[in-house]
Amino acid sequence: MLTIGIAGGTGSGKTTVVNTIVNELRHKEVEVITQDSYYRDTSDLSYEARTKINFDHPQSIDFELLVDHLKQLKKGKSVPQPVYSFKEHNRTGDTIETHPKKVMLVEGILILTNPELRKLFDIKIYVHTDSDERLIRRLKRDINERGRDLQEVLDRYQNTLKPMHQQFIEPSKEFADIIIPYNRYNTVGVDIVQSIIKQRLD
């Protein structure tokens, strides 16, 4: 199993890079795990309390479960990947049966901050994008897809996203094997990753 971790700041283009790789390969032996599925269960908290959680801090992620699931997949066992609701700020209680494949892509803003998780990656990728561009993308996504209002997104960016990016996410770039400066014209980095994956699949 080839395990690839793809990190980068919020709105950097991680998901686009992952989708580009998957769509280009169109191979049944490629699976994606998203860090967002592994936000900690907060059912014991009220909705209002959940909205105040710093979801950009490593402590918000159930890394123990994510590491365990990835280890199980490497052993050839299927795992129940949690389903997370951004509108409820909590897991839904549902799971997605995730099966071991020849290539596992793990994507998320904080995945390179965890030493145990890093050890499980054969290739570590960091997607780098200008901070202004990331903010614009985050605004569009949270308002259009996650039901947030403009002030809520701006407050969260100023109070948590930006400082957490500077404290945890940007420094994790030093652990990357490949750094992809992402824009729609830069395809070389993605092409390199696809070539590596194709070699493994062949």
Side-chain angles (χ1 to χ4, degrees):
M1 177 185 287
L2 178 67
T3 310
I4 302 175
I6 302 178
T10 182
S12 62
K14 297 179 304 303
T15 304
T16 302
V17 169
V18 169
N19 290 338
T20 301
I21 292 171
V22 172
N23 292 337
E24 178 69 24
L25 292 171
R26 296 185 180 278
H27 200 289
K28 63 180 181 180
E29 284 300 326
V30 179
E31 183 62 88
V32 178
I33 293 179
T34 174
Q35 165 207 285
D36 292 353
S37 298
Y38 290 84
Y39 280 118
R40 295 189 183 279
D41 182 38
T42 54
S43 300
D44 58 321
L45 301 176
S46 67
Y47 175 80
E48 186 170 346
R50 294 199 300 269
T51 63
K52 297 177 181 178
I53 294 173
N54 183 353
F55 290 101
D56 296 275
H57 192 287
Q59 290 180 349
S60 68
I61 307 298
D62 190 347
F63 279 117
E64 298 86 353
L65 182 61
L66 179 51
V67 167
D68 178 66
H69 278 185
L70 202 50
K71 286 181 177 178
Q72 294 299 319
L73 288 164
K74 281 177 170 283
K75 292 178 181 177
K77 300 178 181 178
S78 298
V79 298
Q81 186 176 171
V83 176
Y84 187 82
S85 167
F86 286 97
K87 289 188 176 181
E88 296 299 323
H89 301 281
N90 198 12
R91 294 181 189 173
T92 64
D94 297 325
T95 59
I96 297 174
E97 191 74 7
T98 305
H99 304 283
K101 300 291 179 69
K102 288 183 180 178
V103 179
M104 300 297 300
L105 303 176
V106 183
E107 68 98 3
I109 63 174
L110 294 163
I111 59 170
L112 295 185
T113 67
N114 185 272
E116 289 301 309
L117 190 57
R118 287 200 304 268
K119 292 177 185 176
L120 299 176
F121 295 141
D122 299 301
I123 302 172
K124 298 178 289 293
I125 297 170
Y126 186 94
V127 182
H128 176 77
T129 304
D130 175 76
S131 58
D132 289 341
E133 180 67 25
R134 289 191 296 101
L135 172 58
I136 292 169
R137 292 176 184 172
R138 179 71 183 235
L139 283 169
K140 290 179 179 178
R141 184 186 67 189
D142 281 7
I143 293 171
N144 295 332
E145 299 176 18
R146 298 180 179 177
R148 310 280 196 266
D149 63 55
L150 176 61
Q151 193 58 50
E152 179 185 0
V153 179
L154 290 175
D155 287 345
R156 184 176 287 272
Y157 180 84
Q158 188 172 22
N159 298 326
T160 59
L161 290 180
K162 186 175 180 180
M164 293 301 97
H165 180 85
Q166 294 171 335
Q167 184 176 352
F168 296 108
I169 301 165
E170 184 75 19
S172 75
K173 183 166 58 176
E174 70 175 281
F175 301 112
D177 303 305
I178 301 171
I179 297 175
I180 300 177
Y182 181 76
N183 60 60
R184 58 182 173 169
Y185 305 109
N186 179 21
T187 60
V188 176
V190 175
D191 289 344
I192 291 172
V193 177
Q194 288 175 337
S195 297
I196 295 171
I197 295 174
K198 286 177 181 177
Q199 288 178 0
R200 176 59 64 97
L201 290 173
D202 293 340

